[in-house]
Amino acid sequence: MPHVVTQSCVGDGSCVYACPVNCIQPTPDHPAFEHAEMLHIDPAACVDCGACVTACPVDAIKPHSWLDAGERAFLAVNAAYHRGERTRPSLAPVRPPLRVRRHSRPLRVAIVGSGPAAIYAADEILTIPGAQVSVYERLPVPYGLVHAGVAPDHRRTRRIARQLDAICADPRLRMHLGVEVGRDVSRERLLESHHAVIYAVGAAADRRLQIPGAGLPGVASATELVAWYNGHPDHAGRTFDLSHPRAVIVGNGNVALDVARILTVDPESLVGTAIAPHALDALRASRIEEVVVVGRRGPAESAFTLPELIGLSATPGVDLAVEDDALADIPAGDPKLDLLRELSPASACDGARRIVLRYRLTPSRIDGTERVTGIGLAPTARAGGPATSIDAGLVITAIGYRGMPVAGMPFDEATGTIPNDDGRVIDPATGAAVPGVYVVGWIKRGPTGFIGTNKSCSQDTVQVLVEDFNAGLLREPGVGVAQSAL
Ligand code: NAP
């Protein structure tokens, strides 16, 4: 009875190290790990010990006979990854432990932000005996997108907070909630009392559509809508007009699928989830019947992942359809495309609420004078076909997050990241490292990957930080500056 990794896999790799036969791939040391949509258990090698089940922080792994109807597709997804011979060591290679040189004072690091990248960095630092970490979080609640970004009905994914809680329970970690670095405490002050500061501020803004009408009421970004339905304090007062029968989402990444699902599921199925009460009330009164998700490229370039598509296609009460001719001329053999092919054509939907995936359309304008009445779409270059428009009362842009500049820090406008070399912040004017300042997570590498992707990203940064500490490149914290005073 092999075990199976399912949709909520966050890719943190805990299961990989628990497995006694190294049958979970890709492993964090493998180049494929950073872009893997999930991890996969080899059914032929699994010895059914269940160690991975215990190790997984989000209960994503089940014996195959426990899979429910909506999860059975994951048996084939796990097996397909392992098709064909692949050599692998008998155990996954582990990172060597961090070692610090003998030092008069223990390593002290301040971390700005408290999302997964921040807490994974803290976890890594705390493997060093005596090391201390101070985490500074602007909001009154920790963990960033775990609360404000993960869909409220993704209950298992949200269980990652238990793992973060366990890391933060270490008495050598001090959490400072409601403290904004740059407003309540300066970076200079943090550097006086710590050897180093790690910025883990994520990508708090979103990319904007630059087309006529994009500023009309009724156009909103997915970042705003997601924060609103997740109860983020900065967005609690927002309202969204859900009175028109159709909404359009521009972009087809996992955020787009999350938003489409929340706008179409039976609101009563969200009771007891992390949905904000104001959002639940609004969804109960919603008159949206159809959400159209528009991709500017073809089905093969869909930005959503296979696990999320499987989950969405199994959502009760929601028809998921693909526009009628989207997959014509695309050969079989790719699991994501094959699943898209199995969905009903858009013309055949008969559910009360539905999501329609459309392709090869580039937004050209937002229609409306006082507020949104629809969206104009042009065929993406080389796709051919006529321009079209879709009537809608709400247009949500889900075209990606974007990092925001941090006062006093260099910033790369093109990528929305802080320039860095393996996590060491670099001054682009000189090419030199900014002493004692590091980055992890989306502000380091851009808004891609899953919660667990941040683990190896943070471990890489902490490794170079420790190298700098050992090389004597970090200034000793002031003797008289107590952390508790900050
Ligand atoms: P994303 O995956 O980068 O998708 C962005 C989408 O916007 C793409 O379809 C992209 O099309 C499109 N786009 C970009 N610029 C556009 C423009 N000017 N006009 C029209 N379309 C445009 O971003 P995301 O959905 O925000 O997700 C961010 C990260 O978080 C991803 O790594 C995602 O997997 C992760 N995430 C995961 C989950 C989950 O696992 N449940 C949930 C949420 C987010 P092109 O491909 O053509 O550029």
Side-chain angles (χ1 to χ4, degrees), residues 43-134:
C46 175
V47 291
D48 191 24
C49 69
C52 53
V53 177
T54 318
C56 177
V58 293
D59 306 328
I61 304 179
K62 290 183 173 182
H64 88 267
S65 57
W66 291 16
L67 298 173
D68 62 35
E71 293 170 329
R72 273 184 212 124
F74 285 98
L75 188 53
V77 173
N78 280 249
Y81 189 87
H82 293 275
R83 215 159 276 145
E85 274 302 302
R86 240 177 261 207
T87 52
R88 54 183 183 231
S90 52
L91 284 177
V94 289
R95 278 180 180 256
L98 293 170
R99 299 207 186 283
V100 294
R101 69 183 162 90
R102 277 196 176 280
H103 210 270
S104 53
R105 306 189 63 201
L107 178 65
R108 266 193 196 175
V109 179
I111 301 179
V112 186
S114 70
I119 306 304
Y120 285 134
D123 192 30
E124 192 65 5
I125 294 162
L126 292 171
T127 61
I128 300 167
Q132 297 169 7
V133 174
S134 323

Side-chain angles (χ1 to χ4, degrees), residues 8 47 67 75 78 82 118 151 156 219 248 250 297 308 339 343 347 355 359 361 377 384 419 423 427 464:
S8 57
V47 291
L67 298 173
L75 188 53
N78 280 249
H82 293 275
R156 282 199 267 159
V219 181
V248 169
V250 177
R297 296 191 282 161
E308 293 306 304
L339 176 51
L343 303 177
S347 52
I355 299 169
Y359 287 98
L361 292 170
L377 300 155
D427 179 349
V464 298

Side-chain angles (χ1 to χ4, degrees), residues 7-10 37 145 149-151 154 157 207-211 222-223 226 250-258 261 293-298 301-305 307-308 361-363 397-401 442 445-451 453:
Q7 185 188 348
S8 57
C9 174
V10 292
E37 295 190 347
L145 285 182
V150 176
H154 276 174
T157 308
R207 293 162 70 187
R208 296 275 159 169
L209 264 190
Q210 311 283 343
I211 56 172
T223 315
V226 170
V250 177
N252 63 13
N254 283 338
V255 170
L257 295 200
D258 279 347
R261 188 182 67 259
V293 177
V294 179
R296 62 180 169 177
R297 296 191 282 161
E301 290 81 28
S302 300
F304 52 75
T305 59
E308 293 306 304
L361 292 170
T362 299
T397 58
I399 61 174
Y401 289 89
W442 280 4
R445 60 175 208 278
T448 59
F450 307 94
I451 291 172
T453 316

Side-chain angles (χ1 to χ4, degrees), residues 314-335:
T315 304
V318 178
D319 273 346
L320 177 60
V322 185
E323 68 176 327
D324 299 357
D325 55 356
L327 291 139
D329 305 329
I330 296 183
D334 176 274

